[in-house]
Amino acid sequence: MPFYGKYAVAAVCLVGGLGIFFEGYDQGVMSGVNIAPSYVELMDLGDPGSGIATKSGKEGGIVAVYYLGTIIGALAGGALSDRIGRNYAVVCAGFFGLLGQSLQAAAQNAVWMICARIIAGIGTGGIAAVIPVWGSELVGHDARGMVMAFQMVVNFSGISASYWLEYLLSFRDGGNTQVRWRFPLAFQMIFLVALMVIISFMPESPRFDIGNGRRQRGKQTLATFRAQGDIEDPDVVAEYEEIIAAVDLESKYEAFTYWHMVTGHKSGDLHLGRRTFLAAWLQVMQAWTGVTSVVVYAPTLFRTAGFGAHKSDLLTGIQNMVTMVCCILAIFTIDRFGRRKVLITGGFGQSLCFFLLGALSKVAADQKSASIGAAAGSFIFIYDFIFAATWLSVPWVYPTEIFPLVIRAKGNAFGIVGWSIGCGTVSLAAPKMFGALGPNAFYIHAVFNLFAVAVVYCFYPEVACRTLEEIDLLFASPSPFVWATEKRFQELKLEHAGLVHRGGLGQKLADVEAKSTIVQTEDKY
């Protein structure tokens, strides 16, 4: 690759962003498809001739089944990328994506659409599982959060692009045309083909290369991103030696399967079960903090707040653009303030927004007040502002940071599994939830945000600006609580005071491994 340093990082941002743009577009496209009259008629989602979806269970099921595919794709993509490399795994996932999107665009009935969405989900899940790992392993430890935050800007750009395309098509022949929903579903294949072609010419993860016998190529890639191509640079040498030490440590354990990761069986002081839970549950919590309801059912939420159909559609498009712009804030906050502070602060703010949104929406509905309805709608925008700066990026970058090298892609796959479970359950529940409870449904998201704050405070240690290899030490504590985790980490640093600087990690990791035997700790996680 002809770029070095910050230009190489920028190239990774752009290419990774292309994959995340596709994922965002694919996730958001159904918000416009669901309200297209010809789609509703063809899929039998409403009364004949009405063009309005009234079968909320079926509507939510078609949306939610996509996430079954993303679970399959994430697990398959994570395992495949640890075998053949990050780049090739993305290309393989892309073929499933192309097949699924083409089938969706040609769907003739609900069963066809369900099958197509599962296949499309496999492709998206594989891409979403691998791209964040690929990016985090290429860039320096002090830029991981920034790169992921940038990708989230692009993610919401994809969501916004899909919505505005569908909004413009809604004016064609009064919106009563199949082009309104078939063209947006087919259009996203352009981005997928571009990703598959470009990533084939990008460098492979240096950590994957070093861990699979291509050490010189991996070291050269490190030099490209850290030191303008100088492989003798002290920082490059130190990081290279850290990776070698981590690879040697992890090779002493037997090959980890998904079963080992879920149960923590035979993972010793690596505590893989705990890490897997943290990766998956953070993404589940992100979905239930309210974002999935806002992204997929935003027009419904604005109608619940008291706005008319046309104004709700217009506000949804504006809201997506506001969120896209607000994502830029995360680029400056996620590494500066750390993962924990960002999540905790954001959770409190999001909870307050939903409490006020629920209360004002209820009053607006009872009093039929347009001004109070407008005030209620404003809190959807305020929620988007807070979410974009806090909870949007962290759940995506955290799983890429907390797993050992040998299973990093598999580990991140569990983050996508959590995302799939969270988005799938919310997509399935939201139509009935808001249909049955009306504005009171906002309180469910409000309470869940407070629950999420408590979980993060107790169980999620800070990983910002720590090298990917240091994090093995961070999870050496037998206790899952943050205060015990940090205390144990500080004890290890004091025990090896002369080895705290970068480059001394290999000895520290070896000492941790020496204190733990597989037999004694096989059930600890």
Side-chain angles (χ1 to χ4, degrees):
M1 190 173 70
F3 302 114
Y4 295 97
K6 62 182 181 181
Y7 298 106
V9 173
V12 169
C13 285
L14 293 174
V15 177
L18 190 58
I20 301 301
F21 181 93
F22 164 76
E23 184 274 323
Y25 184 104
D26 200 27
Q27 185 182 12
V29 73
M30 289 304 292
S31 65
V33 170
N34 284 334
I35 59 176
S38 64
Y39 173 81
V40 173
E41 291 282 348
L42 189 63
M43 301 299 155
D44 188 27
L45 300 180
D47 296 328
S50 68
I52 299 175
T54 56
K55 299 177 181 179
S56 58
K58 189 174 182 179
E59 176 191 7
I62 292 176
V63 174
V65 75
Y66 169 80
Y67 297 104
L68 173 62
T70 60
I71 291 176
I72 298 171
L75 295 176
L80 188 64
S81 71
D82 280 335
R83 285 180 173 272
I84 68 173
R86 317 311 190 207
N87 300 37
Y88 290 140
V90 169
V91 174
C92 290
F95 284 112
F96 280 93
L98 288 174
L99 177 60
Q101 304 307 338
S102 59
L103 289 173
Q104 282 191 95
Q108 298 299 317
N109 52 58
V111 174
W112 185 328
M113 191 66 175
I114 288 171
C115 294
R117 285 188 60 73
I118 292 174
I119 296 172
I122 292 173
T124 303
I127 291 170
V130 178
I131 285 287
V133 175
W134 175 73
S136 70
E137 292 180 337
L138 280 170
V139 303
H141 67 88
D142 57 347
R144 294 194 307 263
M146 180 273 293
V147 169
M148 183 55 66
F150 172 80
Q151 291 181 351
M152 291 301 102
V153 174
V154 179
N155 177 267
F156 257 86
S157 300
I159 293 173
S160 183
S162 68
Y163 188 84
W164 280 111
L165 176 60
E166 290 170 321
Y167 180 75
L168 293 174
L169 289 172
S170 70
F171 293 99
R172 179 186 172 94
D173 297 329
N176 295 312
T177 172
Q178 293 196 15
V179 174
R180 177 177 176 178
W181 62 273
R182 291 192 189 275
F183 179 76
L185 288 171
F187 183 69
Q188 60 191 312
M189 289 190 285
I190 295 174
F191 311 116
L192 192 51
V193 170
L195 172 66
M196 294 167 65
V197 171
I198 297 173
I199 202 168
S200 301
F201 296 95
M202 294 295 290
E204 180 57 85
S205 157
R207 288 175 169 83
F208 175 82
D209 277 344
I210 293 170
N212 287 272
R214 295 182 287 272
R215 296 189 172 187
Q216 191 58 35
R217 190 174 82 169
K219 189 175 183 180
Q220 185 60 60
T221 303
L222 286 176
T224 298
F225 283 83
R226 310 289 190 272
Q228 304 295 316
D230 181 9
I231 62 173
E232 301 303 326
D233 182 88
D235 287 338
V236 172
V237 173
E239 186 170 355
Y240 175 75
E241 291 176 352
E242 283 187 4
I243 297 172
I244 294 294
V247 169
D248 290 343
L249 168 64
E250 291 155 8
S251 67
K252 296 178 182 179
Y253 294 88
E254 66 178 70
F256 292 120
T257 65
Y258 282 127
W259 169 254
H260 291 107
M261 296 175 68
V262 171
T263 64
H265 184 63
K266 294 186 177 181
S267 66
D269 278 348
L270 293 176
H271 295 115
L272 296 183
R274 186 194 310 166
R275 302 193 209 197
T276 300
F277 174 83
L278 294 178
W281 187 244
L282 189 59
Q283 287 278 19
V284 173
M285 291 193 297
Q286 184 201 53
W288 276 96
T289 59
V291 63
T292 303
S293 293
V294 170
V295 169
V296 180
Y297 299 105
T300 302
L301 302 190
F302 281 114
R303 290 185 183 111
T304 302
F307 292 95
H310 176 72
K311 187 172 286 187
S312 294
D313 293 343
L314 183 60
L315 285 172
T316 299
I318 297 173
Q319 168 245 330
N320 285 333
M321 293 184 67
V322 169
T323 306
M324 177 185 70
V325 174
C326 293
C327 290
I328 298 173
L329 292 174
I331 296 175
F332 304 101
T333 61
I334 189 171
D335 284 322
R336 181 174 182 179
F337 298 109
R339 318 303 188 230
R340 282 171 53 81
K341 289 181 180 179
V342 165
L343 290 175
I344 291 171
T345 303
F348 280 124
Q350 291 166 178
S351 177
L352 180 61
C353 285
F354 276 116
F355 274 122
L356 293 173
L357 176 58
L360 290 172
S361 297
K362 185 68 167 63
V363 173
D366 292 343
Q367 299 184 6
K368 300 187 183 306
S369 171
S371 60
I372 296 177
S378 69
F379 279 100
I380 295 180
F381 285 88
I382 296 172
Y383 165 82
D384 282 332
F385 173 84
I386 297 172
F387 175 80
T390 58
W391 271 82
L392 175 60
S393 299
V394 176
W396 287 92
V397 70
Y398 201 89
T400 70
E401 299 177 304
I402 63 174
F403 286 97
L405 166 64
V406 70
I407 53 165
R408 190 160 294 145
K410 284 183 181 177
N412 189 56
F414 279 102
I416 306 304
V417 168
W419 171 76
S420 303
I421 292 172
C423 292
T425 52
V426 175
S427 297
L428 195 59
K432 290 190 174 182
M433 191 168 74
F434 284 95
L437 301 177
N440 292 326
F442 291 121
Y443 297 134
I444 295 176
H445 290 311
V447 171
F448 197 93
N449 271 285
L450 296 179
F451 169 74
V453 167
V455 172
V456 170
Y457 179 80
C458 292
F459 299 109
Y460 283 81
E462 184 57 70
V463 296
C465 295
R466 284 170 168 158
T467 68
L468 295 174
E469 285 66 45
E470 280 181 321
I471 291 170
D472 277 343
L473 289 179
L474 187 62
F475 283 94
S477 169
S479 172
F481 292 102
V482 167
W483 42 90
T485 296
E486 291 290 348
K487 181 180 178 182
R488 179 58 179 156
F489 182 73
Q490 296 302 322
E491 288 173 353
L492 289 171
K493 289 177 67 175
L494 290 175
E495 289 174 12
H496 305 281
L499 298 170
V500 174
H501 62 279
R502 286 174 57 84
L505 180 62
Q507 182 60 48
K508 290 192 287 179
L509 287 173
D511 288 344
V512 171
E513 191 274 340
K515 294 178 181 179
S516 171
T517 65
I518 293 175
V519 174
Q520 292 172 331
T521 61
E522 64 180 10
D523 293 320
K524 287 166 56 181
Y525 56 94

